[in-house]
Amino acid sequence: MKKYVCDVCDWVYDPEVGDPENGIAPGTPFEELPDDYTCPLCGVGKDQFSPLPD
């Protein structure tokens, strides 16, 4: 599963870790995050994330 980085603050979403503090279980791919998911650090939406290169 790919990691994604916030284009605004560089926070990395790692699907193996998820975002438990915001209700996202470990093992959740970025593509399956809710449409209204926002960066836990700066609050921008999913459209402001980019996949990290392999």
Side-chain angles (χ1 to χ4, degrees):
M1 289 186 282
K2 277 193 169 288
K3 294 179 182 178
Y4 281 72
V5 62
C6 176
D7 297 330
V8 175
C9 73
D10 293 329
W11 182 80
V12 175
Y13 176 76
D14 182 345
E16 291 184 15
V17 176
D19 185 5
E21 292 180 11
N22 292 297
I24 306 299
T28 304
F30 184 83
E31 296 79 14
E32 292 181 14
L33 293 176
D35 290 338
D36 61 352
Y37 181 78
T38 57
C39 176
L41 287 188
C42 70
V44 298
K46 277 178 66 174
D47 61 332
Q48 298 291 310
F49 281 74
S50 299
L52 285 177
D54 291 332

